[in-house]
Amino acid sequence: MIAKKDVELLEKSAVKLTLTVASADIKSNYDELVKKYSKQAQIPGFRKGKVPANVLISKFGESLKAETLNNVVDDALKEAFDTIEEKPLPYAQPELVDEKLDIDLDKDLTFSVKYDTFPNFELGEYKGIEVEEDSVSILKKDEEAELKKLQDQQAIVMDKENGTVRKDNIVTIDFAELDEEGNVKEDTKREGFVFTIGTGYNLYKIDDDLVGKKKDKEFVIEKEYPEDFEYSDLAGKSIKLQVKITAVKEKQLPEINDDFAQDISDDFETLEDLTKDIKDKMKKRAEEKLKSQTLEQLMTKLVENTEIVIPQSMIEAELENSWNNFAGQTRMSPDQLVEFLSADGRSKEDLLKEWEPNAIKGLKERLIMGRIIENEKIEASDDELDKEIENQATAANLPLDQAKEYFQSPQMKEYLVHSITDKKVVDFLLENANVKKGKKIKYLDLMEGKQ
């Protein structure tokens, strides 16, 4: 069908494809269409299937030509995409370049389409890249802090006997702002609000104002807020807040001993067993965090070393996927999320614009990793697939046979292959990096990203 084709590479991984279809093929397509409709058309004065071609053409000629044009363009594009390397991305719909495209049964048809294609790029150097890896010091106080977290989790919350509020107590309050005449502002009224004194998890930041107050007492708090207060509705304002404490609770902490360790898990017989497990887990978390940071340095330099132009349709698809994932995480539908943002004076477009730099960086990283996997012929062996299925079964607490059945489908097997090759390429890059000794940092700073 295609008499001539020309592929022109444009900026931003776009392609302009120009095709010429011979008039004989156009005429053949047109004749087949006329023949088909002659057998199907029902026109007064003619039996079904007996409508003469010239009658059909005189009545529907322009429509027949338009359908022939669509068929010829679609068939030509399909044939071209089967033969050229520069195929369109799945989400990049080819667009006709020609503003007006007409068909002449006696002439060849030439038309052009533009579309985005997979980025073609030269991979930069990815071995011997210099990165710094910090080391972490896990102190006795860090271990004690982890133990204290477990103690807090095992605490029993009970009503406080004297009902006097102290730091770390859990209080339930009713509150409302008062106007200048001392009347309640109904839109600020709230009942049954619960928070822990000292956390600051309340709009008005009244933790210190409640210390020393008693349950079932009603009182008024007067506060002035600075111009740079974190909540703009209160910044630079003075308020009167009517408060009633309806409940005061305190935590009864368990004693840290062998019994405490046994309550945490049947795996521990003594406090020493629990302490060792805490140390091991802290060490593992620190190693994973340091590895992640080193990899982030490495990927940043890989992106800098490799020039890749990401097509716009690929960026838009990535952002749309992020948007849908974000909506899922917030447990809102995309439409509900738009309304939520609108109430805050923002839009979906504002959010996507904020995300775009990270989306582009993430796409470049995935393209680079994919190319390295190809270059180094990194694959997932059958043994590795079996091992990964075992790991997935253990993590999901599933019988191994059930897990194997679940991962039999081509889609799930592909997921496993990607999971394994991604891990292997990360290990490959780190093994081939020039890792220099970095600074020594505290465990808590590492975990909180303060280093």
Side-chain angles (χ1 to χ4, degrees), residues 184-353:
V184 169
K185 295 182 180 180
E186 291 296 329
D187 60 339
T188 66
K189 202 171 179 182
R190 179 79 182 270
E191 295 181 350
F193 182 76
V194 182
F195 72 100
T196 301
I197 298 294
T199 62
Y201 292 158
N202 60 91
L203 175 66
Y204 298 96
K205 305 301 179 188
I206 55 173
D207 302 58
D208 294 340
D209 302 279
L210 298 184
V211 172
K213 298 290 193 295
K214 286 185 174 293
K215 177 186 172 185
D216 296 328
K217 298 292 184 181
E218 189 171 83
F219 49 91
V220 175
I221 297 171
E222 296 187 25
K223 289 187 77 73
E224 292 184 6
Y225 296 94
E227 294 290 342
D228 61 350
F229 188 64
E230 59 185 291
Y231 300 121
S232 58
D233 289 347
L234 294 174
K237 295 180 181 178
S238 298
I239 61 112
K240 289 183 179 180
L241 193 70
Q242 180 177 283
V243 179
K244 182 178 182 180
I245 301 171
T246 59
V248 182
K249 298 179 184 290
E250 62 182 346
K251 290 181 179 180
Q252 297 289 332
L253 298 174
E255 186 178 349
I256 298 178
N257 52 26
D258 290 347
D259 290 337
F260 171 74
Q262 292 166 15
D263 288 339
I264 295 295
S265 173
D266 293 337
D267 295 334
F268 310 127
E269 292 186 3
T270 65
L271 179 60
E272 185 179 352
D273 295 337
L274 173 59
T275 304
K276 181 179 182 304
D277 184 72
I278 288 173
K279 290 179 183 178
D280 291 343
K281 287 179 177 175
M282 290 176 71
K283 183 180 178 182
K284 185 176 180 180
R285 284 197 294 268
E287 288 172 350
E288 289 175 350
K289 186 77 171 179
L290 291 171
K291 180 179 178 180
S292 175
Q293 290 183 345
T294 305
L295 180 63
E296 179 63 26
Q297 288 182 60
L298 207 159
M299 292 308 303
T300 297
K301 291 190 175 183
L302 278 174
V303 169
E304 291 172 355
N305 291 347
T306 305
E307 186 176 343
I308 310 177
V309 180
I310 305 294
Q312 189 60 35
S313 60
M314 186 179 278
I315 297 170
E316 290 171 359
E318 180 72 5
L319 289 172
E320 192 63 27
N321 186 53
S322 298
W323 167 261
N324 290 328
N325 288 340
F326 182 58
Q329 290 167 6
T330 59
R331 297 188 178 181
M332 287 188 277
S333 70
D335 289 341
Q336 289 172 328
L337 187 53
V338 168
E339 290 181 12
F340 177 79
L341 290 171
S342 178
D344 196 34
R346 306 183 72 198
S347 67
K348 175 182 177 180
E349 289 69 29
D350 294 332
L351 204 59
L352 297 188
K353 190 173 182 180

Side-chain angles (χ1 to χ4, degrees), residues 5 7 9 15 17 79-89 115-120:
K5 66 172 175 274
V7 177
L9 302 181
V15 166
L17 173 64
E79 180 181 325
F81 294 148
D82 285 341
T83 59
I84 63 174
E85 293 183 4
E86 299 82 4
K87 304 181 193 305
L89 294 170
Y115 56 86
D116 289 336
T117 190
F118 196 82
N120 186 22

Side-chain angles (χ1 to χ4, degrees), residues 379-436:
E379 298 176 341
S381 68
D382 290 341
D383 288 343
E384 288 169 334
L385 283 169
D386 290 340
K387 184 64 178 175
E388 184 64 20
I389 291 174
E390 289 179 19
N391 293 338
Q392 296 279 347
T394 301
N397 197 24
L398 286 174
L400 183 56
D401 290 345
Q402 189 174 336
K404 285 182 177 180
E405 184 178 352
Y406 177 72
F407 286 106
Q408 272 184 348
S409 71
Q411 294 89 345
M412 293 311 301
K413 185 173 182 179
E414 185 179 358
Y415 160 78
L416 285 181
V417 169
H418 281 304
S419 177
I420 293 167
T421 54
D422 285 349
K423 290 175 185 174
K424 291 177 75 171
V425 74
V426 165
D427 291 340
F428 171 85
L429 288 170
L430 292 172
E431 288 168 6
N432 285 275
N434 183 9
V435 181
K436 301 290 185 180

Side-chain angles (χ1 to χ4, degrees), residues 54 154 162 168 220 349 373 380 423 449:
N54 62 327
Q154 296 294 111
N162 62 14
D168 296 327
V220 175
E349 289 69 29
I373 287 171
K423 290 175 185 174

Side-chain angles (χ1 to χ4, degrees), residues 18 68 77 119 167 173 343 346 349 398:
T18 302
T68 299
L77 287 175
K167 188 177 182 299
I173 61 173
R346 306 183 72 198
E349 289 69 29
L398 286 174

